[in-house]
Amino acid sequence: MKHLAMITGASRGIGCAAAERLAQEGYAVALVCKTNRAMEEALSASLNRNGCDTAAFTADLSGEDAVKVLFDDVQKRFGRLPDVLVNNAGVAHSGVFADMKTEDYNHIFDSNVRSVFYTCRAVYDDMVLHKWGRIINISSMWGICGASCEVLYSASKAAVIGMTRGLALELAPSGITVNAIAPGVIKTDMLSCYNEETLADLAEQTPTGRLGTPEDIAAAISFLASEKASFITGQVLGVNGGFITT
């Protein structure tokens, strides 16, 4: 039986690229997004026309009840729960720390941390039962070293790394790997607030001389989901073109 992957934040950017890659590699794929249902359904339909087995779902992953409904719906559609979970959904937020409001904190941590907690908990028992699973959490290089004017975002992504490492140790005896990917500057909608000059400067700061692409991250996701990575767990894979080397 082929593996079933669930990818959150799958309607665009990294999530879209990961869905395309895994579906083309033979995974059944549950695509999950919060608001861009039309884009997600179009992607799913396109993949299915090419012989893939995918379905689109909508859920607010910061809500406990919504996550329960999501996993019930996925199980009804595919007949089982995901054995590959890619936690990609998240939000970014820039601003001076002194200007951050409680609402900003709640929004960022609900989207970037609470969602990972709920989805990981939802697959935990089933993965342990089957003695196999892959959990891949998308963090950020700023979760490793922090970024000025992105304090809350950095803190949320650091929390994802901490959750990844702890859960990896807990689940390793059951044949389940848990890893994180820490992307660098990736050409997605999150960069839409920057002008061309700033983007060129970011590319220049990157030792490889270019910005990353969603496909770069999708390749790393594909590797960590595969049997080739069965002895890798509790790790944070930096895919950042050398921007940081910590």
Side-chain angles (χ1 to χ4, degrees):
M1 181 182 294
K2 60 185 175 183
H3 295 299
L4 170 60
M6 174 185 282
I7 302 173
T8 69
S11 63
R12 57 186 180 178
I14 291 170
C16 176
E20 290 179 327
R21 174 128 187 181
L22 294 186
Q24 291 163 2
E25 290 177 347
Y27 293 80
V29 181
L31 298 87
V32 182
C33 74
K34 182 179 180 180
T35 57
N36 298 312
R37 180 62 185 246
M39 295 172 61
E40 183 183 57
E41 287 183 338
L43 172 61
S44 178
S46 175
L47 290 170
N48 290 343
R49 283 194 297 270
N50 289 318
C52 301
D53 182 14
T54 74
F57 302 86
T58 304
D60 179 354
L61 299 175
S62 67
E64 185 172 11
D65 291 339
V67 171
K68 289 179 180 178
V69 171
L70 167 65
F71 278 84
D72 285 344
D73 289 344
V74 169
Q75 189 164 28
K76 289 175 185 176
R77 165 60 176 81
F78 291 98
R80 57 202 168 104
L81 291 175
D83 54 4
V84 175
L85 173 63
V86 181
N87 279 309
N88 168 69
V91 298
H93 189 87
S94 299
V96 177
F97 183 74
D99 294 336
M100 295 295 101
K101 300 178 175 60
T102 301
E103 294 78 26
D104 298 322
Y105 173 90
N106 289 336
H107 176 57
I108 293 168
F109 273 79
D110 282 351
S111 299
N112 295 356
V113 184
R114 186 186 295 268
S115 62
V116 176
F117 164 65
Y118 286 148
T119 56
C120 288
R121 189 177 63 178
V123 299
Y124 186 106
D125 288 341
D126 193 66
M127 287 185 177
V128 169
L129 177 66
H130 291 94
K131 299 299 180 184
W132 197 94
R134 299 283 188 268
I135 297 174
I136 303 163
N137 298 322
I138 306 303
S139 179
S140 167
M141 65 179 179
W142 301 138
I144 298 172
C145 64
S148 174
C149 296
E150 293 192 57
V151 175
L152 294 182
Y153 178 74
S154 300
S156 71
K157 291 302 187 176
V160 169
I161 289 173
M163 195 183 308
T164 297
R165 287 174 168 160
L167 190 57
L169 295 176
E170 190 168 318
L171 288 176
S174 297
I176 300 156
T177 67
V178 188
N179 292 289
I181 295 172
V185 185
I186 309 298
K187 289 189 287 187
T188 67
D189 290 349
M190 282 191 177
L191 298 185
S192 60
C193 58
Y194 299 119
N195 58 34
E196 289 300 319
E197 183 179 357
T198 301
L199 293 175
D201 182 59
L202 288 169
E204 186 176 346
Q205 291 180 57
T206 304
T208 55
R210 68 172 178 89
L211 302 181
T213 67
E215 289 73 24
D216 290 324
I217 309 303
I221 291 170
S222 171
F223 169 67
L224 289 175
S226 74
E227 288 299 331
K228 295 176 182 178
S230 62
F231 199 55
I232 300 173
T233 195
Q235 304 305 306
V236 181
L237 178 59
V239 185
N240 59 52
F243 201 104
I244 66 168
T245 56
T246 301

